[in-house]
Amino acid sequence: MFIEKIKKCFLTVAILVFIQSLFLNQVLAATFPDIGYSPPSNWSESKFVLSQDYPQQKPEAENAPWMNIDFRTSPREYLMAVLNYSYEGSLENDFAVQKNTVRKWFHAPWLHWGNNGREFVHGLTRERSSRPFELSPQQSQQYRNYAIGFYNSAGGFTLGQVWSKPDKPDVEKAKFPEGTVSYKLLFTTAPVSEVPYLDGSPEWVADIDRSGNVDTIQATKVRLLQIDVAVRDGRSKASGWVFGTFQYDSSVQADSPWKRVRPLTLMWGNDPDLTQSMYDTGQRPKESWIDSDAPIVKYRSNPPAGINPPKTLGWAGRGNGPVDNPVSSCLSCHLTAQIPASSPMIPPATLSENLKLRWFRNLAMGEAFDPSAKTLDFSLQLGVGIQNLQEFQSFVRNQGGVRIIEESRSRLFISPLERLPERRDNLPIQQYRFSRDPEE
């Protein structure tokens, strides 16, 4: 028995050394993991591949079609120009963007780590869940949502600069150039029976439950609900960014289900003085546009009797998406992207209206949310990735980096599926965790 324990101990140490050396080799090779766990060995379909061949030189400025459109007076046209640009060459490849022959797109690294890290089929990560009746009057329960984001070459250049030393990201390099575009596809587990405007929505297979069974994974579908876009556009004097959202709408006529999306909101500022009380007396945001004909807007503004969804998309009528937290806004959440994350992503409910306005400032380009922090230039994907790396490094130092579990008497194996304990106290500096669902 003693000899067997010694053998097991040596095997455990050998596995730990192998895993840590594997990570070191990835660091030295300047590569990042696609996912953080092993798919079923008998999976024969395609798998997610991280697009990480980041440009080494800042790309030349493109002749962007949206730059000829005034987003304040023509928000719908602006949004459609950005969406068409984002779709081109990727829609044909089911958004496996490394196959795009029209233009390069890139993923942010280090979103594979943790309990809500990338699933292996499409690389989806967990988003905020939709509470009952947020999406429709038929929605009787809470549903999970998942997403994947992409950056064009201008944004990919910045990702590569920040992560040029994969074990030590340089937040000083988090400065996205003019023309950067990021877009995100958001999918929901809500069924069409409870959200009727999702009828015909594109569906993806996704391993959201880490089942390990091929048949179960193939039967697990998520459907497109929302698309977010962010554009570095210097004409937005408030922040240098324009944020927009689409919602899937089955009534939209298009030649592809992916194009049955309706421009929903556009934001170029946070209306820093507007409170909920002011909205209730009739004042409206001046730096947000919202399509009043969108299904989610019509529903929330006039719900059936006895059903009480959020009255607006964002706080005091600001721009936001169907999945997003109604106490915030698109720009509000993203302006908290900083290291260290000294403030939460959304204003605490206990604050007065005037104190909540701190989350709705129009920050200058390069200005961090907190003076003692370094801005990540509105990129929450950078923030999540950096915190994930910090947690991994702390886990390596404190617990060996991996969990070793005896599956049977014949072998030991590494279990990335085991739910890890919360490790907030292990971050180098006490921080709030960037979370798409801070209420859970």
mmCIF file of all heavy atoms in Angstrom, residues 192-228:
data_model
loop_
_atom_site.group_PDB
_atom_site.id
_atom_site.type_symbol
_atom_site.label_atom_id
_atom_site.label_comp_id
_atom_site.label_asym_id
_atom_site.label_seq_id
_atom_site.Cartn_x
_atom_site.Cartn_y
_atom_site.Cartn_z
ATOM 1 N N VAL A 192 -38.463 29.292 -28.445
ATOM 2 C CA VAL A 192 -39.349 30.128 -29.248
ATOM 3 C C VAL A 192 -40.748 30.173 -28.628
ATOM 4 O O VAL A 192 -41.446 31.193 -28.727
ATOM 5 C CB VAL A 192 -39.413 29.595 -30.689
ATOM 6 C CG1 VAL A 192 -40.438 30.358 -31.517
ATOM 7 C CG2 VAL A 192 -38.036 29.676 -31.340
ATOM 8 N N SER A 193 -41.153 29.109 -27.973
ATOM 9 C CA SER A 193 -42.483 29.076 -27.357
ATOM 10 C C SER A 193 -42.658 30.152 -26.299
ATOM 11 O O SER A 193 -43.782 30.576 -26.027
ATOM 12 C CB SER A 193 -42.739 27.700 -26.732
ATOM 13 O OG SER A 193 -41.768 27.412 -25.732
ATOM 14 N N GLU A 194 -41.541 30.618 -25.705
ATOM 15 C CA GLU A 194 -41.625 31.659 -24.683
ATOM 16 C C GLU A 194 -41.135 33.019 -25.184
ATOM 17 O O GLU A 194 -41.402 34.038 -24.542
ATOM 18 C CB GLU A 194 -40.835 31.235 -23.439
ATOM 19 C CG GLU A 194 -41.428 30.015 -22.757
ATOM 20 C CD GLU A 194 -40.907 29.815 -21.346
ATOM 21 O OE1 GLU A 194 -40.443 30.790 -20.731
ATOM 22 O OE2 GLU A 194 -40.954 28.668 -20.854
ATOM 23 N N VAL A 195 -40.425 33.023 -26.305
ATOM 24 C CA VAL A 195 -39.984 34.286 -26.914
ATOM 25 C C VAL A 195 -40.320 34.201 -28.403
ATOM 26 O O VAL A 195 -39.472 33.876 -29.230
ATOM 27 C CB VAL A 195 -38.476 34.528 -26.694
ATOM 28 C CG1 VAL A 195 -38.099 35.936 -27.172
ATOM 29 C CG2 VAL A 195 -38.099 34.360 -25.231
ATOM 30 N N PRO A 196 -41.566 34.481 -28.784
ATOM 31 C CA PRO A 196 -42.029 34.230 -30.150
ATOM 32 C C PRO A 196 -41.255 34.950 -31.245
ATOM 33 O O PRO A 196 -41.145 34.424 -32.366
ATOM 34 C CB PRO A 196 -43.491 34.699 -30.111
ATOM 35 C CG PRO A 196 -43.889 34.561 -28.682
ATOM 36 C CD PRO A 196 -42.666 34.890 -27.889
ATOM 37 N N TYR A 197 -40.701 36.130 -30.965
ATOM 38 C CA TYR A 197 -39.982 36.835 -32.032
ATOM 39 C C TYR A 197 -38.661 36.158 -32.391
ATOM 40 O O TYR A 197 -37.961 36.586 -33.317
ATOM 41 C CB TYR A 197 -39.759 38.309 -31.680
ATOM 42 C CG TYR A 197 -39.082 38.600 -30.360
ATOM 43 C CD1 TYR A 197 -37.713 38.431 -30.191
ATOM 44 C CD2 TYR A 197 -39.812 39.091 -29.276
ATOM 45 C CE1 TYR A 197 -37.087 38.714 -28.990
ATOM 46 C CE2 TYR A 197 -39.205 39.369 -28.059
ATOM 47 C CZ TYR A 197 -37.842 39.179 -27.925
ATOM 48 O OH TYR A 197 -37.228 39.461 -26.733
ATOM 49 N N LEU A 198 -38.291 35.079 -31.688
ATOM 50 C CA LEU A 198 -37.102 34.301 -32.032
ATOM 51 C C LEU A 198 -37.400 33.219 -33.076
ATOM 52 O O LEU A 198 -36.492 32.455 -33.438
ATOM 53 C CB LEU A 198 -36.509 33.636 -30.785
ATOM 54 C CG LEU A 198 -35.890 34.553 -29.748
ATOM 55 C CD1 LEU A 198 -35.356 33.733 -28.573
ATOM 56 C CD2 LEU A 198 -34.765 35.385 -30.348
ATOM 57 N N ASP A 199 -38.610 33.146 -33.575
ATOM 58 C CA ASP A 199 -38.972 32.130 -34.559
ATOM 59 C C ASP A 199 -38.043 32.202 -35.772
ATOM 60 O O ASP A 199 -37.885 33.263 -36.389
ATOM 61 C CB ASP A 199 -40.419 32.338 -35.003
ATOM 62 C CG ASP A 199 -40.903 31.237 -35.924
ATOM 63 O OD1 ASP A 199 -40.439 30.090 -35.786
ATOM 64 O OD2 ASP A 199 -41.741 31.530 -36.799
ATOM 65 N N GLY A 200 -37.401 31.083 -36.106
ATOM 66 C CA GLY A 200 -36.491 31.039 -37.244
ATOM 67 C C GLY A 200 -35.098 31.530 -36.956
ATOM 68 O O GLY A 200 -34.262 31.599 -37.875
ATOM 69 N N SER A 201 -34.808 31.867 -35.698
ATOM 70 C CA SER A 201 -33.483 32.383 -35.353
ATOM 71 C C SER A 201 -32.402 31.329 -35.601
ATOM 72 O O SER A 201 -32.614 30.139 -35.362
ATOM 73 C CB SER A 201 -33.465 32.794 -33.880
ATOM 74 O OG SER A 201 -32.182 33.194 -33.479
ATOM 75 N N PRO A 202 -31.212 31.743 -36.080
ATOM 76 C CA PRO A 202 -30.113 30.789 -36.263
ATOM 77 C C PRO A 202 -29.786 30.074 -34.963
ATOM 78 O O PRO A 202 -29.743 30.687 -33.892
ATOM 79 C CB PRO A 202 -28.943 31.679 -36.701
ATOM 80 C CG PRO A 202 -29.578 32.892 -37.282
ATOM 81 C CD PRO A 202 -30.837 33.104 -36.491
ATOM 82 N N GLU A 203 -29.561 28.779 -35.060
ATOM 83 C CA GLU A 203 -29.240 27.968 -33.897
ATOM 84 C C GLU A 203 -27.832 27.395 -34.005
ATOM 85 O O GLU A 203 -27.389 27.016 -35.092
ATOM 86 C CB GLU A 203 -30.242 26.813 -33.743
ATOM 87 C CG GLU A 203 -31.621 27.249 -33.352
ATOM 88 C CD GLU A 203 -32.545 26.079 -33.071
ATOM 89 O OE1 GLU A 203 -32.275 24.961 -33.580
ATOM 90 O OE2 GLU A 203 -33.540 26.270 -32.339
ATOM 91 N N TRP A 204 -27.151 27.346 -32.883
ATOM 92 C CA TRP A 204 -25.844 26.702 -32.780
ATOM 93 C C TRP A 204 -25.911 25.588 -31.752
ATOM 94 O O TRP A 204 -26.573 25.729 -30.709
ATOM 95 C CB TRP A 204 -24.776 27.708 -32.334
ATOM 96 C CG TRP A 204 -24.114 28.438 -33.462
ATOM 97 C CD1 TRP A 204 -24.355 28.302 -34.797
ATOM 98 C CD2 TRP A 204 -23.091 29.433 -33.344
ATOM 99 N NE1 TRP A 204 -23.548 29.154 -35.525
ATOM 100 C CE2 TRP A 204 -22.761 29.856 -34.659
ATOM 101 C CE3 TRP A 204 -22.422 30.013 -32.276
ATOM 102 C CZ2 TRP A 204 -21.782 30.810 -34.917
ATOM 103 C CZ3 TRP A 204 -21.455 30.971 -32.525
ATOM 104 C CH2 TRP A 204 -21.127 31.360 -33.836
ATOM 105 N N VAL A 205 -25.182 24.500 -32.050
ATOM 106 C CA VAL A 205 -24.917 23.492 -31.035
ATOM 107 C C VAL A 205 -23.861 24.056 -30.088
ATOM 108 O O VAL A 205 -22.918 24.719 -30.518
ATOM 109 C CB VAL A 205 -24.401 22.194 -31.692
ATOM 110 C CG1 VAL A 205 -23.868 21.219 -30.654
ATOM 111 C CG2 VAL A 205 -25.505 21.554 -32.523
ATOM 112 N N ALA A 206 -24.019 23.811 -28.787
ATOM 113 C CA ALA A 206 -23.068 24.353 -27.816
ATOM 114 C C ALA A 206 -22.957 23.434 -26.605
ATOM 115 O O ALA A 206 -23.964 22.929 -26.107
ATOM 116 C CB ALA A 206 -23.497 25.754 -27.365
ATOM 117 N N ASP A 207 -21.740 23.237 -26.142
ATOM 118 C CA ASP A 207 -21.488 22.387 -24.971
ATOM 119 C C ASP A 207 -21.574 23.233 -23.699
ATOM 120 O O ASP A 207 -20.616 23.339 -22.930
ATOM 121 C CB ASP A 207 -20.113 21.728 -25.099
ATOM 122 C CG ASP A 207 -19.835 20.742 -23.974
ATOM 123 O OD1 ASP A 207 -20.806 20.167 -23.438
ATOM 124 O OD2 ASP A 207 -18.653 20.559 -23.624
ATOM 125 N N ILE A 208 -22.725 23.841 -23.472
ATOM 126 C CA ILE A 208 -22.856 24.780 -22.358
ATOM 127 C C ILE A 208 -22.919 24.077 -21.011
ATOM 128 O O ILE A 208 -22.706 24.707 -19.971
ATOM 129 C CB ILE A 208 -24.100 25.674 -22.536
ATOM 130 C CG1 ILE A 208 -25.357 24.834 -22.715
ATOM 131 C CG2 ILE A 208 -23.903 26.616 -23.724
ATOM 132 C CD1 ILE A 208 -26.641 25.654 -22.815
ATOM 133 N N ASP A 209 -23.200 22.763 -21.017
ATOM 134 C CA ASP A 209 -23.297 22.029 -19.757
ATOM 135 C C ASP A 209 -22.106 21.115 -19.526
ATOM 136 O O ASP A 209 -22.096 20.357 -18.556
ATOM 137 C CB ASP A 209 -24.588 21.203 -19.726
ATOM 138 C CG ASP A 209 -25.831 22.081 -19.746
ATOM 139 O OD1 ASP A 209 -25.847 23.077 -19.001
ATOM 140 O OD2 ASP A 209 -26.758 21.787 -20.526
ATOM 141 N N ARG A 210 -21.101 21.183 -20.408
ATOM 142 C CA ARG A 210 -19.900 20.347 -20.286
ATOM 143 C C ARG A 210 -20.307 18.883 -20.040
ATOM 144 O O ARG A 210 -19.835 18.227 -19.123
ATOM 145 C CB ARG A 210 -19.003 20.823 -19.143
ATOM 146 C CG ARG A 210 -18.624 22.299 -19.181
ATOM 147 C CD ARG A 210 -17.761 22.621 -20.406
ATOM 148 N NE ARG A 210 -17.136 23.934 -20.288
ATOM 149 C CZ ARG A 210 -17.662 25.067 -20.756
ATOM 150 N NH1 ARG A 210 -18.828 25.036 -21.371
ATOM 151 N NH2 ARG A 210 -17.008 26.207 -20.615
ATOM 152 N N SER A 211 -21.161 18.360 -20.914
ATOM 153 C CA SER A 211 -21.768 17.065 -20.650
ATOM 154 C C SER A 211 -20.818 15.896 -20.884
ATOM 155 O O SER A 211 -20.900 14.883 -20.195
ATOM 156 C CB SER A 211 -23.006 16.889 -21.527
ATOM 157 O OG SER A 211 -22.627 16.692 -22.878
ATOM 158 N N GLY A 212 -19.920 16.001 -21.870
ATOM 159 C CA GLY A 212 -19.044 14.887 -22.183
ATOM 160 C C GLY A 212 -19.694 13.832 -23.057
ATOM 161 O O GLY A 212 -19.018 12.888 -23.502
ATOM 162 N N ASN A 213 -20.991 13.962 -23.330
ATOM 163 C CA ASN A 213 -21.715 13.006 -24.159
ATOM 164 C C ASN A 213 -22.052 13.656 -25.495
ATOM 165 O O ASN A 213 -22.716 14.690 -25.536
ATOM 166 C CB ASN A 213 -22.986 12.553 -23.443
ATOM 167 C CG ASN A 213 -23.777 11.537 -24.241
ATOM 168 O OD1 ASN A 213 -24.486 11.892 -25.178
ATOM 169 N ND2 ASN A 213 -23.656 10.267 -23.868
ATOM 170 N N VAL A 214 -21.606 13.028 -26.584
ATOM 171 C CA VAL A 214 -21.768 13.636 -27.909
ATOM 172 C C VAL A 214 -23.239 13.846 -28.251
ATOM 173 O O VAL A 214 -23.622 14.908 -28.760
ATOM 174 C CB VAL A 214 -21.073 12.770 -28.979
ATOM 175 C CG1 VAL A 214 -21.465 13.231 -30.379
ATOM 176 C CG2 VAL A 214 -19.565 12.830 -28.810
ATOM 177 N N ASP A 215 -24.075 12.864 -27.986
ATOM 178 C CA ASP A 215 -25.498 12.992 -28.324
ATOM 179 C C ASP A 215 -26.154 14.126 -27.540
ATOM 180 O O ASP A 215 -26.970 14.880 -28.087
ATOM 181 C CB ASP A 215 -26.225 11.676 -28.039
ATOM 182 C CG ASP A 215 -25.804 10.559 -28.990
ATOM 183 O OD1 ASP A 215 -25.319 10.882 -30.088
ATOM 184 O OD2 ASP A 215 -25.954 9.378 -28.619
ATOM 185 N N THR A 216 -25.791 14.259 -26.282
ATOM 186 C CA THR A 216 -26.350 15.333 -25.460
ATOM 187 C C THR A 216 -25.905 16.696 -25.978
ATOM 188 O O THR A 216 -26.707 17.636 -26.059
ATOM 189 C CB THR A 216 -25.915 15.172 -23.991
ATOM 190 O OG1 THR A 216 -26.374 13.916 -23.506
ATOM 191 C CG2 THR A 216 -26.485 16.288 -23.125
ATOM 192 N N ILE A 217 -24.640 16.806 -26.353
ATOM 193 C CA ILE A 217 -24.131 18.071 -26.878
ATOM 194 C C ILE A 217 -24.836 18.431 -28.174
ATOM 195 O O ILE A 217 -25.265 19.576 -28.381
ATOM 196 C CB ILE A 217 -22.607 18.001 -27.079
ATOM 197 C CG1 ILE A 217 -21.904 17.789 -25.737
ATOM 198 C CG2 ILE A 217 -22.090 19.280 -27.743
ATOM 199 C CD1 ILE A 217 -20.428 17.459 -25.870
ATOM 200 N N GLN A 218 -24.972 17.460 -29.082
ATOM 201 C CA GLN A 218 -25.625 17.716 -30.364
ATOM 202 C C GLN A 218 -27.068 18.174 -30.175
ATOM 203 O O GLN A 218 -27.595 18.926 -31.002
ATOM 204 C CB GLN A 218 -25.591 16.453 -31.222
ATOM 205 C CG GLN A 218 -24.209 16.090 -31.756
ATOM 206 C CD GLN A 218 -23.808 16.942 -32.954
ATOM 207 O OE1 GLN A 218 -24.423 17.964 -33.236
ATOM 208 N NE2 GLN A 218 -22.754 16.522 -33.652
ATOM 209 N N ALA A 219 -27.696 17.722 -29.109
ATOM 210 C CA ALA A 219 -29.090 18.091 -28.861
ATOM 211 C C ALA A 219 -29.234 19.421 -28.131
ATOM 212 O O ALA A 219 -30.351 19.923 -27.974
ATOM 213 C CB ALA A 219 -29.779 16.987 -28.059
ATOM 214 N N THR A 220 -28.128 20.006 -27.689
ATOM 215 C CA THR A 220 -28.170 21.265 -26.936
ATOM 216 C C THR A 220 -28.014 22.428 -27.898
ATOM 217 O O THR A 220 -26.956 22.611 -28.503
ATOM 218 C CB THR A 220 -27.058 21.303 -25.876
ATOM 219 O OG1 THR A 220 -27.192 20.173 -25.010
ATOM 220 C CG2 THR A 220 -27.153 22.582 -25.058
ATOM 221 N N LYS A 221 -29.060 23.223 -28.039
ATOM 222 C CA LYS A 221 -29.062 24.323 -29.007
ATOM 223 C C LYS A 221 -29.250 25.662 -28.292
ATOM 224 O O LYS A 221 -29.984 25.762 -27.302
ATOM 225 C CB LYS A 221 -30.199 24.138 -30.018
ATOM 226 C CG LYS A 221 -30.185 22.801 -30.762
ATOM 227 C CD LYS A 221 -29.038 22.716 -31.750
ATOM 228 C CE LYS A 221 -29.030 21.388 -32.484
ATOM 229 N NZ LYS A 221 -30.255 21.150 -33.268
ATOM 230 N N VAL A 222 -28.581 26.654 -28.827
ATOM 231 C CA VAL A 222 -28.810 28.036 -28.415
ATOM 232 C C VAL A 222 -29.176 28.812 -29.668
ATOM 233 O O VAL A 222 -28.774 28.444 -30.780
ATOM 234 C CB VAL A 222 -27.567 28.650 -27.729
ATOM 235 C CG1 VAL A 222 -27.305 27.987 -26.395
ATOM 236 C CG2 VAL A 222 -26.327 28.555 -28.622
ATOM 237 N N ARG A 223 -29.944 29.884 -29.527
ATOM 238 C CA ARG A 223 -30.421 30.615 -30.704
ATOM 239 C C ARG A 223 -30.082 32.096 -30.595
ATOM 240 O O ARG A 223 -30.068 32.668 -29.501
ATOM 241 C CB ARG A 223 -31.923 30.403 -30.910
ATOM 242 C CG ARG A 223 -32.786 30.667 -29.729
ATOM 243 C CD ARG A 223 -34.120 29.928 -29.802
ATOM 244 N NE ARG A 223 -33.936 28.501 -30.003
ATOM 245 C CZ ARG A 223 -33.728 27.639 -29.006
ATOM 246 N NH1 ARG A 223 -33.675 28.078 -27.747
ATOM 247 N NH2 ARG A 223 -33.566 26.369 -29.254
ATOM 248 N N LEU A 224 -29.801 32.702 -31.751
ATOM 249 C CA LEU A 224 -29.373 34.108 -31.802
ATOM 250 C C LEU A 224 -30.469 35.028 -31.289
ATOM 251 O O LEU A 224 -31.611 34.967 -31.725
ATOM 252 C CB LEU A 224 -29.009 34.486 -33.238
ATOM 253 C CG LEU A 224 -28.479 35.903 -33.448
ATOM 254 C CD1 LEU A 224 -27.090 36.061 -32.834
ATOM 255 C CD2 LEU A 224 -28.449 36.260 -34.935
ATOM 256 N N LEU A 225 -30.105 35.886 -30.356
ATOM 257 C CA LEU A 225 -31.032 36.868 -29.793
ATOM 258 C C LEU A 225 -30.545 38.296 -30.014
ATOM 259 O O LEU A 225 -31.345 39.189 -30.322
ATOM 260 C CB LEU A 225 -31.199 36.614 -28.287
ATOM 261 C CG LEU A 225 -31.902 37.696 -27.456
ATOM 262 C CD1 LEU A 225 -33.322 37.932 -27.957
ATOM 263 C CD2 LEU A 225 -31.922 37.321 -25.982
ATOM 264 N N GLN A 226 -29.255 38.535 -29.884
ATOM 265 C CA GLN A 226 -28.729 39.903 -29.836
ATOM 266 C C GLN A 226 -27.366 39.959 -30.508
ATOM 267 O O GLN A 226 -26.605 38.994 -30.478
ATOM 268 C CB GLN A 226 -28.607 40.319 -28.367
ATOM 269 C CG GLN A 226 -28.020 41.680 -28.081
ATOM 270 C CD GLN A 226 -28.047 41.997 -26.595
ATOM 271 O OE1 GLN A 226 -28.966 41.609 -25.873
ATOM 272 N NE2 GLN A 226 -27.041 42.705 -26.107
ATOM 273 N N ILE A 227 -27.055 41.082 -31.112
ATOM 274 C CA ILE A 227 -25.716 41.353 -31.643
ATOM 275 C C ILE A 227 -25.289 42.718 -31.129
ATOM 276 O O ILE A 227 -26.035 43.696 -31.237
ATOM 277 C CB ILE A 227 -25.683 41.342 -33.179
ATOM 278 C CG1 ILE A 227 -26.142 39.984 -33.721
ATOM 279 C CG2 ILE A 227 -24.273 41.662 -33.693
ATOM 280 C CD1 ILE A 227 -26.233 39.923 -35.242
ATOM 281 N N ASP A 228 -24.092 42.783 -30.561
ATOM 282 C CA ASP A 228 -23.521 44.051 -30.095
ATOM 283 C C ASP A 228 -22.389 44.463 -31.024
ATOM 284 O O ASP A 228 -21.640 43.613 -31.516
ATOM 285 C CB ASP A 228 -22.962 43.913 -28.679
ATOM 286 C CG ASP A 228 -24.037 43.681 -27.638
ATOM 287 O OD1 ASP A 228 -25.215 43.971 -27.920
ATOM 288 O OD2 ASP A 228 -23.693 43.198 -26.547
#
